[in-house]
Amino acid sequence: MLLQILHYPDPRLRRKAEPVGAVTDEIRALVSDMAETMYNAPGIGLAAIQVGVLKRVVVLDLSEEHNRLQVFINPEIRESEGEQIMEEGCLSVPGVFEPVTRAGHVRVRALDREGRPFELEATGLLATCIQHEIDHLDGKVFVDYLSRLKQQRIRKKLEKHQRLAM
């Protein structure tokens, strides 16, 4: 089922997601709906908070074929090092792409869609995506890394688009 993606500056994007107590059929259904929504958008990552669900759930797929879905439930970065700058975009901030500095290497621990714990080392685009999506779970949007002036311009642009869409 396709879910509605919240758009910046929607205040619901600032809420903090709650940990998932148990990976149930309901959580697995959420993962499936989030993946369908992400692929349809199209995007490469989506956090539950972006579809108005206050759960610590992230889906990612960096493959061209959309056949390598990665699920992170209750993800936490255990280690980070280095630095890289990548241009980021976001399904919640449509049409905006800006360079953001993040760690170049991360080690993340999470549960998979079956509730099994795993750890993953990531660099490059995957490291950026993991950090970007975990930020969403903590109520942060990538534009928070930009200057105040850029944030104001982006907010005004998106508010205008929302008014015109009504």
Side-chain angles (χ1 to χ4, degrees), residues 9 19 24-25 43 56 74 83 85-87 101 106 118 165-166:
T24 61
D25 288 343
R56 295 189 75 80
N74 297 337
E83 187 174 284
I85 300 172
M86 285 201 166
E87 188 170 83
T101 303
V106 295
F118 70 94
M166 291 182 171

Side-chain angles (χ1 to χ4, degrees), residues 117-160:
F118 70 94
E119 282 198 10
L120 175 78
E121 303 236 357
T123 59
L125 181 59
L126 181 57
T128 291
C129 290
I130 289 169
Q131 293 169 84
H132 176 112
E133 299 305 336
I134 289 175
D135 272 356
H136 276 301
L137 300 179
D138 294 330
K140 255 182 123 165
V141 183
F142 89 97
V143 297
D144 296 348
Y145 292 92
L146 308 177
S147 70
R148 284 264 188 253
L149 180 61
K150 279 189 178 177
Q151 289 177 33
Q152 290 168 349
R153 284 184 183 154
I154 291 166
R155 175 186 288 266
K156 285 180 180 164
K157 175 183 169 186
L158 292 177
E159 286 172 342
K160 180 180 177 185

Side-chain angles (χ1 to χ4, degrees), residues 22-141:
V23 179
T24 61
D25 288 343
E26 182 183 328
I27 294 296
R28 283 187 281 277
L30 172 64
V31 165
S32 295
D33 291 346
M34 286 173 61
E36 184 181 349
T37 301
M38 174 186 71
Y39 291 135
N40 185 68
I44 60 173
L46 188 67
I49 201 87
Q50 292 177 270
V51 292
V53 177
L54 294 173
K55 295 286 182 198
R56 295 189 75 80
V57 177
V58 165
V59 295
L60 293 172
D61 189 340
L62 306 186
S63 71
E64 293 287 324
E65 305 81 21
H66 296 161
N67 63 356
R68 289 199 193 100
L69 183 68
Q70 294 178 281
V71 176
F72 299 83
I73 298 170
N74 297 337
E76 56 180 289
I77 293 176
R78 306 295 293 165
E79 239 175 67
S80 63
E81 62 184 40
E83 187 174 284
Q84 66 182 2
I85 300 172
M86 285 201 166
E87 188 170 83
E88 293 188 27
C90 180
L91 295 176
S92 291
V93 191
V96 175
F97 298 90
E98 293 287 339
V100 175
T101 303
R102 294 190 186 270
H105 175 269
V106 295
R107 187 165 54 87
V108 64
R109 181 176 18 193
L111 302 175
D112 67 14
R113 74 184 306 156
E114 301 308 317
R116 294 181 298 246
F118 70 94
E119 282 198 10
L120 175 78
E121 303 236 357
T123 59
L125 181 59
L126 181 57
T128 291
C129 290
I130 289 169
Q131 293 169 84
H132 176 112
E133 299 305 336
I134 289 175
D135 272 356
H136 276 301
L137 300 179
D138 294 330
K140 255 182 123 165
V141 183

